Amino acid sequence: RDTNWPGAASCAMSHIRGLIKAALEGYEFALVFEDDAVIPTSVATTRGWCEACEGQLCFCPSAWAFCVQEAVDLMRRAPQLDLLYLGVGEAFEPPGPHGGILAEESDDDLGGVTEMGYTWCAEAILYARSALEDVLALKLHERIWAQDETIPHLYSQKPWNPRFMESLKSVGFKRRWLAGAPADDVEEGWIQQLEFFKEELNSTQLASAWRSSNSSEL
């Protein structure tokens, strides 16, 4: 029995609801976070978003603001992207300022962008207007999919679930989304899942939060 089905369905529906709202209201970008998304202190301090937090998790509101601003800045500098993935994943290309999608003459103070290989979660995805237009035109909300698999399904050359792609093609899906990620550390990402930090959470007021965020733990 797949105990993750309720979580997968609700995740997909909530993401689609947010994307449709952003598309209808004319936003240039839509950054969608999971409800258990967290910023590791190691990421926040390395990127200069935080200087105060000492545990594994950063609790500074300013860190989230910096994260959003830098993600949008990267997306604007790589306008060919349909989405920018901020979670944990794997890269197709060697990470580095000039090894990714940004032009070589770019001033890569943000670390550059690299094309994505595979994503492990959907903790934070920044969608461009091109992707939002597709969401409306293709009525993706009528074809619910597990949100963790959004990027592999919509842009991989060999999606592991061909039936999903056949379903999309039947309603007009023709172009493959181009997905990127910050090139500084694709395998760590900027945003991670709450459940990655079980040891710290078990000794805090969030002791049961990571369990309730993942239906397989119930």
Side-chain angles (χ1 to χ4, degrees):
R1 186 164 64 93
D2 185 0
T3 57
N4 272 322
W5 169 242
S10 61
C11 177
M13 288 187 288
S14 63
H15 272 255
I16 283 293
R17 187 181 300 116
L19 295 179
I20 291 175
K21 180 175 173 39
L24 290 175
E25 294 185 3
Y27 285 101
E28 181 183 3
F29 303 106
L31 180 49
V32 181
F33 291 102
E34 288 293 329
D35 59 0
D36 63 344
V38 294
I39 298 179
T41 300
S42 59
V43 173
T45 54
T46 298
R47 301 202 62 80
W49 298 345
C50 170
E51 298 179 354
C53 295
E54 298 180 351
Q56 289 182 292
L57 298 179
C58 176
F59 293 94
C60 298
S62 59
W64 291 95
F66 282 125
C67 176
V68 172
Q69 183 60 58
E70 291 191 11
V72 171
D73 288 346
L74 276 178
M75 183 71 101
R76 284 179 171 154
R77 291 166 57 192
Q80 67 270 48
L81 289 180
D82 294 296
L83 57 89
L84 183 68
Y85 175 72
L86 302 180
V88 179
E90 295 180 356
F92 277 146
E93 305 169 335
H98 306 313
I101 296 170
L102 291 183
E104 290 190 8
E105 62 270 17
S106 297
D107 179 15
D108 296 318
D109 55 298
L110 292 176
V113 178
T114 186
E115 187 175 350
M116 281 301 300
Y118 190 81
T119 65
W120 299 109
C121 55
E123 297 312 300
I125 302 175
L126 179 62
Y127 295 89
R129 186 69 207 178
S130 56
L132 296 179
E133 294 289 352
D134 282 350
V135 169
L136 287 183
L138 297 176
K139 297 183 178 179
L140 294 183
H141 59 285
E142 296 180 359
R143 283 168 164 67
I144 295 297
W145 68 94
Q147 188 64 27
D148 286 8
E149 300 153 6
T150 298
I151 300 176
H153 275 151
L154 294 183
Y155 88 102
S156 292
Q157 295 183 7
K158 296 182 178 180
W160 66 268
N161 189 340
R163 291 177 299 173
F164 178 79
M165 291 305 300
E166 291 171 3
S167 174
L168 286 179
K169 289 178 180 178
S170 69
V171 294
F173 181 81
K174 296 180 180 179
R175 69 182 189 87
R176 185 176 294 117
W177 283 4
L178 177 60
D184 48 359
D185 194 347
V186 178
E187 294 187 356
E188 181 180 15
W190 292 1
I191 305 294
Q192 294 186 13
Q193 282 181 293
L194 188 64
E195 64 182 76
F196 289 0
F197 303 92
K198 297 177 182 178
E199 292 185 8
E200 178 165 326
L201 294 176
N202 283 336
S203 61
T204 69
Q205 67 271 25
L206 297 175
S208 62
W210 66 266
R211 293 186 177 87
S212 64
S213 71
N214 190 335
S215 60
S216 67
E217 299 289 344
L218 298 179

